[in-house]
Amino acid sequence: MMPITPRKLKTAIRLLGSENWHAHTWATDVLQHADHLAYPLLITAASATTPSPRAIYAALLLHQLGYPEGGQQLVRLIDRPSSREGSCAPLLRHAVLKTVSPVPFLQKLASALAQLEQRPDLPRPLAHFHHNAQILLFLRSELPLPLLHRALLVRAIGGENLSVVRLILEEVCEPNLEHISLVRRDSAALLIGSTTKEQAMQVFINCLLHPNPAVQLTAMFGLKLLRLAYAINALYPIARDPSSPVREDAQNLIRFLNSQESDPFVLLRPIDEEQFAQASLLRASKAHQADLLRPLFPLPNPSERSTL
């Protein structure tokens, strides 16, 4: 290899993020052989305020050469939402998984959850949980189910306004980092992204049995994202309970899941014989054609929605 000169190092830094693979490989080899001579230039490139392939590759090289600044710069980049949404997102994901791994972000998530289980009104752990949940969603890493299940059941002090919970779950308004339901929404998204649909559905169905209606709403939010029509049966106990404050939500979700399948599937799906009589589903065949099928539930009345 030719002697390493300052000019050659600057050229290598400039070509480090090149789309030409041969140029990129040459630049990588030069900078690796230069080691400590390339360190100042690599630090400058990796510290760029705007994420770019050059900055990410420079941080990777620093890590490969044994400098802790490489991992630190990658963490700095992934901490920014704009970096996770830009064109360099796939490369950034690969670099973080190869160097930092999801472990530190998972540890921060678990630490924030432990604080929220004791004091769910604290804004700082709420913000930390949301921030690290977004990073883990970006990394698409597998997460422990017990941790996510705990987060789905985290309680609030003094109850919750269900109207606010609905707004946050439906993302109608800007996320409110001071509301505990954001933690449950993030947990539902993480659960869907880190396990199979069947496993996630079973966790959500178990959450439907929880006495907290806000937890039940989060479970319905997750089931709606999964779009699995055979989860309908688990919703009937709530949909048929006149005292449930989320009865209308369960009925609306059943209508939504019914619409995801063809008519034969909807008509032939199994029902709970102890809960529903056959006569409540079908009228006599000699009736008017429009009356052959009764609606699952009466039309929703907005004035009946509860806001506990």
Side-chain angles (χ1 to χ4, degrees), residues 95-174:
V96 172
L97 289 174
K98 186 176 180 179
T99 58
V100 183
S101 85
V103 172
F105 308 107
L106 181 58
Q107 290 174 341
K108 294 176 183 178
L109 188 83
S111 176
L113 177 60
Q115 295 178 59
L116 290 171
E117 288 175 327
Q118 299 299 319
R119 289 287 305 276
D121 57 322
L122 295 177
R124 185 176 294 274
L126 276 169
H128 286 175
F129 187 97
H130 178 65
H131 176 70
N132 288 284
Q134 295 305 305
I135 292 176
L136 289 168
L137 278 171
F138 170 76
L139 293 177
R140 303 173 185 172
S141 52
E142 186 175 350
L143 304 175
L145 289 183
L147 176 67
L148 298 179
H149 189 255
R150 280 171 50 203
L152 285 170
L153 304 182
V154 67
R155 64 182 179 83
I157 295 176
E160 296 177 62
N161 186 319
L162 295 185
S163 295
V164 175
V165 175
R166 291 185 183 98
L167 288 175
I168 292 177
L169 290 175
E170 296 167 5
E171 300 187 49
V172 174
C173 57
E174 289 295 322

Side-chain angles (χ1 to χ4, degrees), residues 229-298:
Y230 47 89
I232 287 176
N233 284 344
L235 294 162
Y236 272 113
I238 298 176
R240 295 287 186 177
D241 182 3
S243 64
S244 173
V246 294
R247 177 190 184 190
E248 182 183 330
D249 300 273
Q251 294 175 355
N252 290 336
L253 180 55
I254 288 175
R255 294 188 186 97
F256 172 80
L257 294 177
N258 268 334
S259 68
Q260 304 303 302
E261 297 291 343
S262 61
D263 289 342
F265 179 89
V266 175
L267 292 173
L268 298 176
R269 59 176 166 76
I271 63 170
D272 188 340
E273 296 180 357
E274 296 181 359
Q275 293 285 337
F276 315 108
Q278 293 180 359
S280 68
L281 299 178
L282 298 176
R283 293 182 185 273
S285 60
K286 62 182 180 181
H288 189 272
Q289 184 177 4
D291 297 328
L292 285 177
L293 293 179
R294 293 181 178 177
L296 290 172
F297 308 103

Side-chain angles (χ1 to χ4, degrees), residues 16-241:
L16 188 58
S18 173
E19 295 182 359
N20 185 313
W21 180 249
H22 294 292
H24 168 76
T25 303
W26 175 85
T28 301
D29 290 340
V30 169
L31 293 169
Q32 282 179 331
H33 282 86
D35 198 347
H36 65 281
L37 295 177
Y39 173 80
L41 295 175
L42 288 171
I43 285 290
T44 301
S47 303
T49 55
T50 304
S52 64
R54 181 188 302 170
I56 297 172
Y57 281 123
L60 271 173
L61 270 177
L62 284 169
H63 175 79
Q64 292 171 2
L65 293 172
Y67 297 109
E69 290 88 347
Q72 294 169 5
Q73 293 300 331
L74 287 172
V75 169
R76 179 185 61 84
L77 287 173
I78 202 174
D79 271 341
R80 299 179 177 180
S82 58
S83 301
R84 303 194 298 267
E85 298 168 0
S87 58
C88 298
L91 178 60
L92 179 60
R93 180 184 299 112
H94 167 76
V96 172
L97 289 174
K98 186 176 180 179
T99 58
V100 183
S101 85
V103 172
F105 308 107
L106 181 58
Q107 290 174 341
K108 294 176 183 178
L109 188 83
S111 176
L113 177 60
Q115 295 178 59
L116 290 171
E117 288 175 327
Q118 299 299 319
R119 289 287 305 276
D121 57 322
L122 295 177
R124 185 176 294 274
L126 276 169
H128 286 175
F129 187 97
H130 178 65
H131 176 70
N132 288 284
Q134 295 305 305
I135 292 176
L136 289 168
L137 278 171
F138 170 76
L139 293 177
R140 303 173 185 172
S141 52
E142 186 175 350
L143 304 175
L145 289 183
L147 176 67
L148 298 179
H149 189 255
R150 280 171 50 203
L152 285 170
L153 304 182
V154 67
R155 64 182 179 83
I157 295 176
E160 296 177 62
N161 186 319
L162 295 185
S163 295
V164 175
V165 175
R166 291 185 183 98
L167 288 175
I168 292 177
L169 290 175
E170 296 167 5
E171 300 187 49
V172 174
C173 57
E174 289 295 322
N176 183 357
L177 293 180
E178 296 185 1
H179 200 284
I180 196 67
S181 59
L182 184 63
V183 170
R184 291 193 291 265
R185 191 190 78 186
D186 286 339
S187 304
L190 285 169
L191 178 63
I192 292 172
S194 64
T195 187
T196 65
K197 283 189 173 184
E198 288 70 21
Q199 288 177 315
M201 184 189 73
Q202 190 56 55
V203 174
F204 291 136
I205 288 176
N206 292 339
C207 290
L208 289 175
L209 304 176
H210 197 275
N212 185 350
V215 173
Q216 295 175 348
L217 280 176
T218 308
M220 294 180 204
F221 164 77
L223 291 173
K224 185 175 182 179
L225 292 180
L226 289 175
R227 295 173 177 261
L228 296 177
Y230 47 89
I232 287 176
N233 284 344
L235 294 162
Y236 272 113
I238 298 176
R240 295 287 186 177
D241 182 3

